[in-house]
Amino acid sequence: MSTLSLKGPYWVTVRQHRRVLWAVPALVGASLAATVALRAWSGTSESDRMDMSTEYYAWELFRLCVMYAGNTMLFLPLLVGAFVAGPMVDGELESGTWRLALTQSTTAKAWLGSKVLVAAVVSVLGSTALIGVYRLGWSRVSGSWQLHWADRGPYEATGPVLIGYCLLGVALGALVGQLVRRTLTAMAVTGLLTGLVLLVLGAPRWSFLPVVTRTVPYPGDAGPRLPGSALMMDTGYLSSTGERLSENSCFNPTDPTAGCPADLNITARYLDFHPASHHWPTQLIETSILLALAAAALYAAFRVVHARHP
């Protein structure tokens, strides 16, 4: 990574962490080479995947690689946050080398800003490139087992939400690194907080948009059909009053074919789902929330540095 056009604390930051920064394009290049090679080796038609030939095993290997790659990319924001909190911020605070920067006509805010900006730019560029590489592989195997667009892992790895989590990791790292003042502890705390946000924010993501509902009369049709690639959320029965009853309401263990009891007044069956078209709106909503959280954490980080070094 060239430092010729950088000046002041930005040049110092890039120079200090040049080996790690060079590792980002190396990782992207290796991922791209592996993806292209596996795509070329795997089968190209449905028949290739079903006849237990060499192409079938190659395609299955490719599918597994894409599946595990999506799950692995979930750890990228944790690693970004831990690196910012540890070597970039807390490492200098703990060793006292940051004081040297303050003697070179550099303010404490400029020192922290250089760390944040360099980490944010590299994180955005690196995660965007990895998303592009992942989508190159995803386009070949999407929709297969454990590779649904709404699954944990593929969902984050195929859209801007991963960039949002990386930026949140940068902001949390800048804040925690100043508060903890122990490199390894700061890395662990930042990784834990970023992972906690991943879990907590992932739980309600399918409540951001209203579900689409299909109904069919009862008795009659066996039930509403789920559109291809849709994410099913709920299914059951509707009574004459519009009350929703669970799928098990009509189950009779002694006679599974008996149907629904007359006293329930069942008039229809319903199916709630998210179509594939909800993928990008949900991604943008979740990314907006992440950017707001990152902005709040970054504001707090600069307030801390201003309070300690006005």
Tab-separated table of all heavy atoms in Angstrom, residues 240-291:
chain	number	residue	atom	x	y	z
A	240	SER	N	-63.741	-18.149	11.617
A	240	SER	CA	-64.746	-17.251	11.028
A	240	SER	C	-64.663	-15.846	11.599
A	240	SER	O	-65.121	-14.883	10.984
A	240	SER	CB	-66.142	-17.826	11.259
A	240	SER	OG	-66.381	-17.993	12.654
A	241	THR	N	-64.094	-15.685	12.777
A	241	THR	CA	-63.928	-14.363	13.389
A	241	THR	C	-62.617	-13.690	12.989
A	241	THR	O	-62.328	-12.587	13.425
A	241	THR	CB	-63.978	-14.483	14.927
A	241	THR	OG1	-62.902	-15.329	15.363
A	241	THR	CG2	-65.310	-15.080	15.372
A	242	GLY	N	-61.806	-14.369	12.187
A	242	GLY	CA	-60.518	-13.830	11.784
A	242	GLY	C	-59.386	-14.188	12.725
A	242	GLY	O	-58.240	-13.781	12.500
A	243	GLU	N	-59.676	-14.961	13.763
A	243	GLU	CA	-58.633	-15.369	14.711
A	243	GLU	C	-57.686	-16.365	14.054
A	243	GLU	O	-58.109	-17.250	13.313
A	243	GLU	CB	-59.270	-16.003	15.939
A	243	GLU	CG	-58.258	-16.472	16.980
A	243	GLU	CD	-58.908	-17.205	18.136
A	243	GLU	OE1	-60.141	-17.390	18.099
A	243	GLU	OE2	-58.177	-17.592	19.060
A	244	ARG	N	-56.413	-16.203	14.337
A	244	ARG	CA	-55.406	-17.115	13.803
A	244	ARG	C	-55.187	-18.274	14.767
A	244	ARG	O	-54.982	-18.057	15.968
A	244	ARG	CB	-54.085	-16.391	13.564
A	244	ARG	CG	-54.140	-15.410	12.397
A	244	ARG	CD	-52.762	-14.946	12.019
A	244	ARG	NE	-52.765	-14.246	10.750
A	244	ARG	CZ	-51.691	-14.021	10.009
A	244	ARG	NH1	-50.510	-14.452	10.435
A	244	ARG	NH2	-51.778	-13.387	8.860
A	245	LEU	N	-55.190	-19.472	14.230
A	245	LEU	CA	-54.944	-20.674	15.014
A	245	LEU	C	-53.712	-21.377	14.466
A	245	LEU	O	-53.448	-21.336	13.263
A	245	LEU	CB	-56.159	-21.600	14.958
A	245	LEU	CG	-57.481	-20.988	15.425
A	245	LEU	CD1	-58.632	-21.959	15.175
A	245	LEU	CD2	-57.419	-20.611	16.900
A	246	SER	N	-52.976	-22.024	15.347
A	246	SER	CA	-51.736	-22.662	14.949
A	246	SER	C	-51.996	-23.859	14.044
A	246	SER	O	-53.119	-24.386	13.960
A	246	SER	CB	-50.943	-23.099	16.179
A	246	SER	OG	-51.603	-24.178	16.819
A	247	GLU	N	-50.928	-24.329	13.411
A	247	GLU	CA	-51.017	-25.465	12.504
A	247	GLU	C	-51.439	-26.740	13.246
A	247	GLU	O	-52.032	-27.638	12.651
A	247	GLU	CB	-49.653	-25.670	11.841
A	247	GLU	CG	-49.605	-26.755	10.793
A	247	GLU	CD	-50.314	-26.386	9.500
A	247	GLU	OE1	-50.675	-25.198	9.324
A	247	GLU	OE2	-50.512	-27.277	8.664
A	248	ASN	N	-51.161	-26.803	14.536
A	248	ASN	CA	-51.484	-28.002	15.313
A	248	ASN	C	-52.889	-27.988	15.892
A	248	ASN	O	-53.273	-28.927	16.596
A	248	ASN	CB	-50.478	-28.167	16.457
A	248	ASN	CG	-49.068	-28.393	15.957
A	248	ASN	OD1	-48.867	-29.030	14.927
A	248	ASN	ND2	-48.086	-27.854	16.672
A	249	SER	N	-53.651	-26.919	15.638
A	249	SER	CA	-54.982	-26.815	16.238
A	249	SER	C	-55.913	-27.931	15.785
A	249	SER	O	-56.802	-28.341	16.536
A	249	SER	CB	-55.606	-25.458	15.896
A	249	SER	OG	-54.814	-24.404	16.400
A	250	CYS	N	-55.708	-28.408	14.568
A	250	CYS	CA	-56.605	-29.423	14.017
A	250	CYS	C	-56.013	-30.829	14.083
A	250	CYS	O	-56.605	-31.770	13.533
A	250	CYS	CB	-56.962	-29.089	12.569
A	250	CYS	SG	-57.890	-27.547	12.397
A	251	PHE	N	-54.875	-30.954	14.724
A	251	PHE	CA	-54.256	-32.274	14.760
A	251	PHE	C	-54.928	-33.155	15.808
A	251	PHE	O	-55.073	-32.771	16.971
A	251	PHE	CB	-52.765	-32.161	15.065
A	251	PHE	CG	-52.064	-33.479	15.180
A	251	PHE	CD1	-51.845	-34.257	14.052
A	251	PHE	CD2	-51.655	-33.956	16.416
A	251	PHE	CE1	-51.199	-35.479	14.154
A	251	PHE	CE2	-51.005	-35.179	16.525
A	251	PHE	CZ	-50.781	-35.942	15.386
A	252	ASN	N	-55.345	-34.335	15.388
A	252	ASN	CA	-55.977	-35.318	16.271
A	252	ASN	C	-55.072	-36.543	16.325
A	252	ASN	O	-54.966	-37.271	15.336
A	252	ASN	CB	-57.361	-35.693	15.750
A	252	ASN	CG	-58.122	-36.582	16.717
A	252	ASN	OD1	-57.537	-37.184	17.612
A	252	ASN	ND2	-59.441	-36.655	16.550
A	253	PRO	N	-54.403	-36.797	17.441
A	253	PRO	CA	-53.455	-37.924	17.488
A	253	PRO	C	-54.111	-39.277	17.280
A	253	PRO	O	-53.464	-40.218	16.821
A	253	PRO	CB	-52.837	-37.806	18.889
A	253	PRO	CG	-53.816	-37.003	19.677
A	253	PRO	CD	-54.467	-36.074	18.716
A	254	THR	N	-55.379	-39.394	17.618
A	254	THR	CA	-56.069	-40.684	17.441
A	254	THR	C	-56.550	-40.888	16.007
A	254	THR	O	-56.718	-42.024	15.572
A	254	THR	CB	-57.264	-40.776	18.396
A	254	THR	OG1	-58.187	-39.688	18.112
A	254	THR	CG2	-56.786	-40.680	19.855
A	255	ASP	N	-56.778	-39.768	15.301
A	255	ASP	CA	-57.244	-39.860	13.907
A	255	ASP	C	-56.673	-38.682	13.122
A	255	ASP	O	-57.312	-37.630	12.977
A	255	ASP	CB	-58.765	-39.853	13.848
A	255	ASP	CG	-59.289	-40.089	12.428
A	255	ASP	OD1	-58.457	-40.373	11.538
A	255	ASP	OD2	-60.513	-39.987	12.216
A	256	PRO	N	-55.439	-38.787	12.611
A	256	PRO	CA	-54.793	-37.664	11.909
A	256	PRO	C	-55.556	-37.187	10.685
A	256	PRO	O	-55.341	-36.062	10.224
A	256	PRO	CB	-53.425	-38.242	11.522
A	256	PRO	CG	-53.202	-39.374	12.472
A	256	PRO	CD	-54.563	-39.948	12.724
A	257	THR	N	-56.449	-37.999	10.123
A	257	THR	CA	-57.186	-37.609	8.912
A	257	THR	C	-58.556	-37.038	9.222
A	257	THR	O	-59.343	-36.792	8.311
A	257	THR	CB	-57.340	-38.830	7.993
A	257	THR	OG1	-58.121	-39.836	8.658
A	257	THR	CG2	-55.986	-39.409	7.628
A	258	ALA	N	-58.860	-36.798	10.478
A	258	ALA	CA	-60.203	-36.369	10.848
A	258	ALA	C	-60.523	-34.941	10.424
A	258	ALA	O	-61.681	-34.582	10.258
A	258	ALA	CB	-60.386	-36.500	12.360
A	259	GLY	N	-59.526	-34.100	10.252
A	259	GLY	CA	-59.780	-32.715	9.894
A	259	GLY	C	-60.024	-31.857	11.121
A	259	GLY	O	-59.890	-32.302	12.264
A	260	CYS	N	-60.416	-30.605	10.912
A	260	CYS	CA	-60.598	-29.653	12.010
A	260	CYS	C	-61.957	-29.858	12.677
A	260	CYS	O	-62.971	-30.067	11.992
A	260	CYS	CB	-60.501	-28.223	11.498
A	260	CYS	SG	-58.857	-27.776	10.890
A	261	PRO	N	-62.030	-29.780	14.013
A	261	PRO	CA	-63.310	-29.869	14.716
A	261	PRO	C	-64.251	-28.746	14.294
A	261	PRO	O	-63.816	-27.616	14.039
A	261	PRO	CB	-62.923	-29.749	16.192
A	261	PRO	CG	-61.481	-30.111	16.244
A	261	PRO	CD	-60.898	-29.682	14.951
A	262	ALA	N	-65.536	-29.040	14.250
A	262	ALA	CA	-66.519	-28.049	13.791
A	262	ALA	C	-66.598	-26.850	14.717
A	262	ALA	O	-66.900	-25.729	14.275
A	262	ALA	CB	-67.889	-28.710	13.659
A	263	ASP	N	-66.324	-27.049	16.018
A	263	ASP	CA	-66.472	-25.940	16.958
A	263	ASP	C	-65.405	-24.861	16.792
A	263	ASP	O	-65.523	-23.767	17.336
A	263	ASP	CB	-66.465	-26.464	18.394
A	263	ASP	CG	-65.168	-27.202	18.728
A	263	ASP	OD1	-64.479	-27.658	17.790
A	263	ASP	OD2	-64.852	-27.304	19.928
A	264	LEU	N	-64.342	-25.141	16.033
A	264	LEU	CA	-63.320	-24.126	15.775
A	264	LEU	C	-63.728	-23.149	14.681
A	264	LEU	O	-63.131	-22.080	14.543
A	264	LEU	CB	-61.990	-24.799	15.391
A	264	LEU	CG	-61.286	-25.599	16.488
A	264	LEU	CD1	-59.998	-26.201	15.953
A	264	LEU	CD2	-60.995	-24.724	17.710
A	265	ASN	N	-64.720	-23.510	13.871
A	265	ASN	CA	-65.216	-22.633	12.794
A	265	ASN	C	-64.097	-22.202	11.841
A	265	ASN	O	-63.939	-21.014	11.522
A	265	ASN	CB	-65.902	-21.393	13.372
A	265	ASN	CG	-67.134	-21.732	14.178
A	265	ASN	OD1	-67.923	-22.600	13.777
A	265	ASN	ND2	-67.323	-21.063	15.307
A	266	ILE	N	-63.298	-23.161	11.416
A	266	ILE	CA	-62.198	-22.863	10.491
A	266	ILE	C	-62.765	-22.538	9.113
A	266	ILE	O	-63.577	-23.286	8.571
A	266	ILE	CB	-61.224	-24.044	10.407
A	266	ILE	CG1	-60.640	-24.366	11.786
A	266	ILE	CG2	-60.106	-23.741	9.413
A	266	ILE	CD1	-59.825	-23.267	12.390
A	267	THR	N	-62.318	-21.412	8.547
A	267	THR	CA	-62.786	-21.004	7.218
A	267	THR	C	-61.674	-20.941	6.178
A	267	THR	O	-61.955	-20.943	4.980
A	267	THR	CB	-63.458	-19.624	7.284
A	267	THR	OG1	-62.507	-18.659	7.764
A	267	THR	CG2	-64.663	-19.648	8.208
A	268	ALA	N	-60.417	-20.861	6.615
A	268	ALA	CA	-59.323	-20.708	5.644
A	268	ALA	C	-58.012	-21.125	6.282
A	268	ALA	O	-57.902	-21.276	7.503
A	268	ALA	CB	-59.236	-19.263	5.159
A	269	ARG	N	-57.015	-21.320	5.430
A	269	ARG	CA	-55.638	-21.526	5.860
A	269	ARG	C	-54.804	-20.341	5.380
A	269	ARG	O	-55.084	-19.782	4.317
A	269	ARG	CB	-55.089	-22.833	5.298
A	269	ARG	CG	-55.853	-24.064	5.740
A	269	ARG	CD	-55.134	-25.334	5.352
A	269	ARG	NE	-53.858	-25.451	6.068
A	269	ARG	CZ	-53.115	-26.553	6.065
A	269	ARG	NH1	-53.519	-27.631	5.387
A	269	ARG	NH2	-51.986	-26.593	6.720
A	270	TYR	N	-53.816	-19.976	6.152
A	270	TYR	CA	-52.994	-18.824	5.779
A	270	TYR	C	-51.515	-19.204	5.800
A	270	TYR	O	-51.108	-20.173	6.441
A	270	TYR	CB	-53.240	-17.648	6.730
A	270	TYR	CG	-52.630	-17.823	8.097
A	270	TYR	CD1	-51.336	-17.374	8.379
A	270	TYR	CD2	-53.347	-18.438	9.130
A	270	TYR	CE1	-50.777	-17.546	9.627
A	270	TYR	CE2	-52.787	-18.598	10.388
A	270	TYR	CZ	-51.505	-18.159	10.633
A	270	TYR	OH	-50.948	-18.329	11.869
A	271	LEU	N	-50.738	-18.393	5.101
A	271	LEU	CA	-49.286	-18.575	5.040
A	271	LEU	C	-48.640	-17.204	4.991
A	271	LEU	O	-48.941	-16.402	4.100
A	271	LEU	CB	-48.896	-19.391	3.805
A	271	LEU	CG	-47.395	-19.563	3.530
A	271	LEU	CD1	-46.752	-20.409	4.619
A	271	LEU	CD2	-47.164	-20.200	2.164
A	272	ASP	N	-47.771	-16.905	5.968
A	272	ASP	CA	-47.011	-15.657	6.003
A	272	ASP	C	-45.593	-15.925	5.514
A	272	ASP	O	-44.962	-16.901	5.934
A	272	ASP	CB	-46.944	-15.091	7.417
A	272	ASP	CG	-48.295	-14.597	7.916
A	272	ASP	OD1	-49.161	-14.344	7.086
A	272	ASP	OD2	-48.461	-14.487	9.158
A	273	PHE	N	-45.071	-15.040	4.672
A	273	PHE	CA	-43.726	-15.249	4.145
A	273	PHE	C	-43.112	-13.921	3.711
A	273	PHE	O	-43.817	-12.911	3.527
A	273	PHE	CB	-43.748	-16.226	2.958
A	273	PHE	CG	-44.529	-15.728	1.767
A	273	PHE	CD1	-43.904	-15.026	0.734
A	273	PHE	CD2	-45.895	-15.957	1.665
A	273	PHE	CE1	-44.613	-14.560	-0.354
A	273	PHE	CE2	-46.615	-15.496	0.574
A	273	PHE	CZ	-45.979	-14.804	-0.432
A	274	HIS	N	-41.809	-13.948	3.566
A	274	HIS	CA	-41.060	-12.834	2.974
A	274	HIS	C	-40.589	-13.270	1.593
A	274	HIS	O	-39.840	-14.247	1.478
A	274	HIS	CB	-39.850	-12.455	3.824
A	274	HIS	CG	-40.178	-11.670	5.049
A	274	HIS	ND1	-40.614	-10.364	5.001
A	274	HIS	CD2	-40.143	-12.008	6.374
A	274	HIS	CE1	-40.826	-9.931	6.228
A	274	HIS	NE2	-40.556	-10.901	7.072
A	275	PRO	N	-40.989	-12.574	0.539
A	275	PRO	CA	-40.470	-12.920	-0.795
A	275	PRO	C	-39.016	-12.510	-0.932
A	275	PRO	O	-38.487	-11.732	-0.127
A	275	PRO	CB	-41.371	-12.095	-1.731
A	275	PRO	CG	-41.799	-10.935	-0.902
A	275	PRO	CD	-41.928	-11.438	0.509
A	276	ALA	N	-38.365	-13.031	-1.950
A	276	ALA	CA	-36.948	-12.710	-2.171
A	276	ALA	C	-36.741	-11.222	-2.417
A	276	ALA	O	-35.643	-10.698	-2.170
A	276	ALA	CB	-36.415	-13.523	-3.353
A	277	SER	N	-37.790	-10.521	-2.863
A	277	SER	CA	-37.671	-9.079	-3.112
A	277	SER	C	-37.476	-8.281	-1.828
A	277	SER	O	-37.122	-7.097	-1.881
A	277	SER	CB	-38.912	-8.576	-3.851
A	277	SER	OG	-40.083	-8.824	-3.088
A	278	HIS	N	-37.688	-8.902	-0.659
A	278	HIS	CA	-37.476	-8.210	0.614
A	278	HIS	C	-36.012	-8.219	1.047
A	278	HIS	O	-35.671	-7.608	2.064
A	278	HIS	CB	-38.326	-8.862	1.704
A	278	HIS	CG	-39.768	-8.474	1.644
A	278	HIS	ND1	-40.688	-8.802	2.632
A	278	HIS	CD2	-40.473	-7.787	0.709
A	278	HIS	CE1	-41.877	-8.340	2.300
A	278	HIS	NE2	-41.769	-7.724	1.142
A	279	HIS	N	-35.176	-8.921	0.299
A	279	HIS	CA	-33.767	-9.032	0.699
A	279	HIS	C	-33.086	-7.674	0.751
A	279	HIS	O	-32.502	-7.296	1.777
A	279	HIS	CB	-33.037	-9.951	-0.281
A	279	HIS	CG	-31.560	-10.037	-0.052
A	279	HIS	ND1	-30.650	-9.272	-0.762
A	279	HIS	CD2	-30.820	-10.773	0.817
A	279	HIS	CE1	-29.428	-9.543	-0.347
A	279	HIS	NE2	-29.499	-10.443	0.602
A	280	TRP	N	-33.156	-6.917	-0.335
A	280	TRP	CA	-32.421	-5.653	-0.375
A	280	TRP	C	-33.028	-4.583	0.526
A	280	TRP	O	-32.271	-3.866	1.208
A	280	TRP	CB	-32.316	-5.158	-1.822
A	280	TRP	CG	-31.339	-5.953	-2.615
A	280	TRP	CD1	-31.604	-6.841	-3.611
A	280	TRP	CD2	-29.914	-5.978	-2.451
A	280	TRP	NE1	-30.446	-7.410	-4.083
A	280	TRP	CE2	-29.399	-6.905	-3.396
A	280	TRP	CE3	-29.035	-5.320	-1.597
A	280	TRP	CZ2	-28.030	-7.164	-3.496
A	280	TRP	CZ3	-27.679	-5.586	-1.694
A	280	TRP	CH2	-27.192	-6.491	-2.642
A	281	PRO	N	-34.361	-4.423	0.602
A	281	PRO	CA	-34.885	-3.443	1.573
A	281	PRO	C	-34.495	-3.763	3.007
A	281	PRO	O	-34.157	-2.863	3.781
A	281	PRO	CB	-36.407	-3.544	1.365
A	281	PRO	CG	-36.574	-4.021	-0.035
A	281	PRO	CD	-35.423	-4.945	-0.275
A	282	THR	N	-34.519	-5.043	3.373
A	282	THR	CA	-34.112	-5.426	4.724
A	282	THR	C	-32.642	-5.123	4.952
A	282	THR	O	-32.240	-4.646	6.027
A	282	THR	CB	-34.389	-6.924	4.954
A	282	THR	OG1	-35.774	-7.198	4.726
A	282	THR	CG2	-34.036	-7.328	6.376
A	283	GLN	N	-31.813	-5.399	3.948
A	283	GLN	CA	-30.383	-5.081	4.048
A	283	GLN	C	-30.175	-3.588	4.285
A	283	GLN	O	-29.369	-3.186	5.138
A	283	GLN	CB	-29.683	-5.503	2.752
A	283	GLN	CG	-29.456	-6.990	2.599
A	283	GLN	CD	-28.050	-7.408	2.994
A	283	GLN	OE1	-27.152	-6.593	3.082
A	283	GLN	NE2	-27.872	-8.703	3.232
A	284	LEU	N	-30.882	-2.754	3.547
A	284	LEU	CA	-30.687	-1.310	3.664
A	284	LEU	C	-31.176	-0.792	5.009
A	284	LEU	O	-30.537	0.095	5.601
A	284	LEU	CB	-31.423	-0.599	2.522
A	284	LEU	CG	-30.874	-0.886	1.113
A	284	LEU	CD1	-31.723	-0.178	0.061
A	284	LEU	CD2	-29.419	-0.441	1.002
A	285	ILE	N	-32.279	-1.331	5.518
A	285	ILE	CA	-32.780	-0.912	6.834
A	285	ILE	C	-31.774	-1.292	7.919
A	285	ILE	O	-31.429	-0.476	8.784
A	285	ILE	CB	-34.155	-1.543	7.106
A	285	ILE	CG1	-35.199	-0.976	6.150
A	285	ILE	CG2	-34.578	-1.293	8.558
A	285	ILE	CD1	-36.549	-1.668	6.238
A	286	GLU	N	-31.301	-2.535	7.881
A	286	GLU	CA	-30.349	-2.985	8.902
A	286	GLU	C	-29.035	-2.218	8.803
A	286	GLU	O	-28.436	-1.864	9.828
A	286	GLU	CB	-30.100	-4.486	8.759
A	286	GLU	CG	-29.273	-5.073	9.879
A	286	GLU	CD	-29.242	-6.591	9.857
A	286	GLU	OE1	-30.017	-7.194	9.086
A	286	GLU	OE2	-28.428	-7.175	10.603
A	287	THR	N	-28.587	-1.936	7.580
A	287	THR	CA	-27.355	-1.162	7.408
A	287	THR	C	-27.513	0.242	7.970
A	287	THR	O	-26.581	0.781	8.584
A	287	THR	CB	-26.972	-1.094	5.916
A	287	THR	OG1	-26.826	-2.421	5.400
A	287	THR	CG2	-25.672	-0.348	5.727
A	288	SER	N	-28.674	0.843	7.776
A	288	SER	CA	-28.923	2.184	8.324
A	288	SER	C	-28.842	2.176	9.846
A	288	SER	O	-28.276	3.096	10.458
A	288	SER	CB	-30.295	2.689	7.868
A	288	SER	OG	-30.370	2.775	6.458
A	289	ILE	N	-29.404	1.147	10.466
A	289	ILE	CA	-29.330	1.036	11.928
A	289	ILE	C	-27.877	0.902	12.378
A	289	ILE	O	-27.439	1.524	13.353
A	289	ILE	CB	-30.161	-0.160	12.409
A	289	ILE	CG1	-31.644	0.062	12.089
A	289	ILE	CG2	-29.975	-0.395	13.903
A	289	ILE	CD1	-32.521	-1.131	12.380
A	290	LEU	N	-27.110	0.087	11.664
A	290	LEU	CA	-25.705	-0.116	12.012
A	290	LEU	C	-24.897	1.166	11.866
A	290	LEU	O	-24.040	1.467	12.705
A	290	LEU	CB	-25.108	-1.217	11.132
A	290	LEU	CG	-25.604	-2.631	11.411
A	290	LEU	CD1	-25.163	-3.578	10.304
A	290	LEU	CD2	-25.084	-3.117	12.758
A	291	LEU	N	-25.156	1.922	10.810
A	291	LEU	CA	-24.432	3.176	10.621
A	291	LEU	C	-24.771	4.173	11.726
A	291	LEU	O	-23.908	4.936	12.177
A	291	LEU	CB	-24.752	3.762	9.248
A	291	LEU	CG	-24.231	2.968	8.050
A	291	LEU	CD1	-24.640	3.642	6.739
A	291	LEU	CD2	-22.713	2.807	8.113
